[in-house]
mmCIF file of all heavy atoms in Angstrom:
data_model
loop_
_atom_site.group_PDB
_atom_site.id
_atom_site.type_symbol
_atom_site.label_atom_id
_atom_site.label_comp_id
_atom_site.label_asym_id
_atom_site.label_seq_id
_atom_site.Cartn_x
_atom_site.Cartn_y
_atom_site.Cartn_z
ATOM 1 N N ALA A 28 -31.284 -74.325 16.120
ATOM 2 C CA ALA A 28 -30.333 -73.998 15.055
ATOM 3 C C ALA A 28 -29.657 -75.252 14.515
ATOM 4 O O ALA A 28 -29.350 -75.339 13.327
ATOM 5 C CB ALA A 28 -29.290 -73.024 15.571
ATOM 6 N N SER A 62 -5.976 -89.915 -13.209
ATOM 7 C CA SER A 62 -6.318 -91.022 -14.105
ATOM 8 C C SER A 62 -7.772 -91.450 -13.966
ATOM 9 O O SER A 62 -8.330 -92.053 -14.876
ATOM 10 C CB SER A 62 -5.397 -92.209 -13.835
ATOM 11 O OG SER A 62 -5.510 -92.602 -12.480
ATOM 12 N N GLU A 66 -10.031 -89.464 -7.619
ATOM 13 C CA GLU A 66 -9.219 -88.431 -6.984
ATOM 14 C C GLU A 66 -9.998 -87.132 -6.849
ATOM 15 O O GLU A 66 -9.899 -86.437 -5.840
ATOM 16 C CB GLU A 66 -7.946 -88.190 -7.794
ATOM 17 C CG GLU A 66 -6.972 -89.344 -7.762
ATOM 18 C CD GLU A 66 -5.749 -89.069 -8.606
ATOM 19 O OE1 GLU A 66 -5.123 -88.004 -8.416
ATOM 20 O OE2 GLU A 66 -5.433 -89.910 -9.460
ATOM 21 N N LEU A 87 -19.632 -90.048 -16.554
ATOM 22 C CA LEU A 87 -18.719 -88.919 -16.443
ATOM 23 C C LEU A 87 -17.295 -89.388 -16.642
ATOM 24 O O LEU A 87 -16.854 -90.342 -15.998
ATOM 25 C CB LEU A 87 -18.820 -88.287 -15.050
ATOM 26 C CG LEU A 87 -19.839 -87.206 -14.832
ATOM 27 C CD1 LEU A 87 -19.908 -86.854 -13.360
ATOM 28 C CD2 LEU A 87 -19.549 -85.993 -15.658
#
Side-chain angles (χ1 to χ4, degrees):
S62 58
E66 291 179 52
L87 271 172

